[in-house]
Amino acid sequence: MSPLFETLCHATHVKYNDFIRTTETRHVKAVHEFWKRLNASGNIYRSKYSGWYCISDETFYPPWEIDESSSSGVPVSKETGNPVEWIEEENYMFKLSSFKNDLHKWLDSGVFPKSSNQSVWSDIAHNMVDTSQDISISRSKSRSDWGIHVPGDNEQIIYVWFDALINYLTVAGFPWSNVNDGSFKHSLWPPDVQFLGKDIIRFHAVLWPALLMAVNLPLPRRLICHHHVLVDNVKVIFFFS
């Protein structure tokens, strides 16, 4: 798929400074380092997990975001309409619920521009923080062998959205060799602004900042959310940067 995106960028005259795939060695190194720091911070624990998971969305959904009486006859996500399945397994969990107060303070600091349309996304993000729970950040290798293995546990694969978010740090040069003296702040991190589609607010305005807080890394200064391009009321493309 990646060559198609590169071709699309060329055809639409979109220039980029870096193009990364999550299978690259530099990214695997960054993900493993981030995981180790998060684990050392005491914010990872192992526990039995049960909940609704959507394969196509690559997302865990809480019960109140599931429609169990859809016309298709199978449970679906209320947000995307895609089918979900109930899973029960022992995974590694991130203490997301411990960061609610700090997340609210961050959102109140003006992360979303104070315009009429962006303030709506800020309110939605606050609500997502209120209802957030500890989240599974791995899955059993027996269910899916695709992805980056958990450091020290080859039977567990790191959750794809944990892995994907760290892309931002990877292209900024993480892990920085001189992080202890603070000079990493002069690199490309943190970003002045990140653009995101409305369906990934939960990851960029809740999970991602909480992960960064947990390992004492700076947070993005500004988030700007946008709608989707639709054809026959179906999302055909979204922009992610």
Side-chain angles (χ1 to χ4, degrees), residues 17-177:
N17 299 97
D18 202 337
F19 189 96
I20 186 171
R21 298 182 63 185
T22 56
T23 53
E24 293 181 23
T25 300
R26 59 173 172 161
H27 181 63
V28 175
K29 177 182 177 182
V31 171
H32 279 171
E33 176 63 23
F34 193 97
W35 181 283
K36 291 174 182 177
R37 295 187 188 189
L38 187 65
N39 189 42
S41 73
N43 285 292
I44 293 179
Y45 64 96
R46 189 153 185 168
S47 177
K48 288 187 176 180
Y49 174 83
S50 60
W52 294 104
Y53 182 75
C54 178
I55 296 176
S56 57
D57 297 339
E58 297 179 326
T59 303
F60 293 100
Y61 287 107
W64 54 87
E65 293 188 22
I66 302 300
D67 180 2
E68 296 189 59
S69 57
S70 67
S71 58
S72 64
V74 298
V76 300
S77 161
K78 292 180 180 178
E79 181 178 327
T80 65
N82 292 326
V84 297
E85 61 177 335
W86 184 264
I87 64 169
E88 296 184 11
E89 59 188 25
E90 185 171 297
N91 294 336
Y92 290 95
M93 307 289 291
F94 169 57
K95 296 179 181 179
L96 178 60
S97 60
S98 299
F99 295 88
K100 289 186 178 183
N101 289 338
D102 289 335
L103 286 170
H104 280 306
K105 291 179 182 178
W106 177 65
L107 290 170
D108 285 336
S109 69
V111 174
F112 285 95
K114 295 186 180 299
S115 60
S116 58
N117 62 330
Q118 291 301 310
S119 62
V120 172
W121 305 124
S122 179
D123 292 341
I124 290 174
H126 273 295
N127 183 63
M128 288 180 171
V129 171
D130 283 334
T131 58
S132 63
Q133 301 174 332
D134 290 357
I135 183 174
S136 171
I137 53 173
S138 73
R139 63 182 186 271
S140 173
K141 179 181 178 181
S142 62
R143 188 158 60 86
S144 176
D145 191 30
W146 183 90
I148 300 175
H149 288 83
V150 169
D153 189 344
N154 288 331
E155 296 305 313
Q156 289 277 312
I157 303 295
I158 294 175
Y159 176 38
V160 65
W161 266 106
F162 180 103
D163 160 8
L165 289 166
I166 297 172
N167 261 320
Y168 299 129
L169 292 177
T170 302
V171 297
F174 181 84
W176 301 282
S177 59

Side-chain angles (χ1 to χ4, degrees), residues 195-219:
F195 295 88
L196 55 138
K198 64 179 183 178
D199 56 342
I200 51 177
I201 289 180
R202 72 175 69 247
F203 302 113
H204 288 76
V206 182
L207 177 58
W208 183 222
L211 288 170
L212 291 169
M213 290 175 184
V215 296
N216 295 314
L217 287 178
L219 278 60

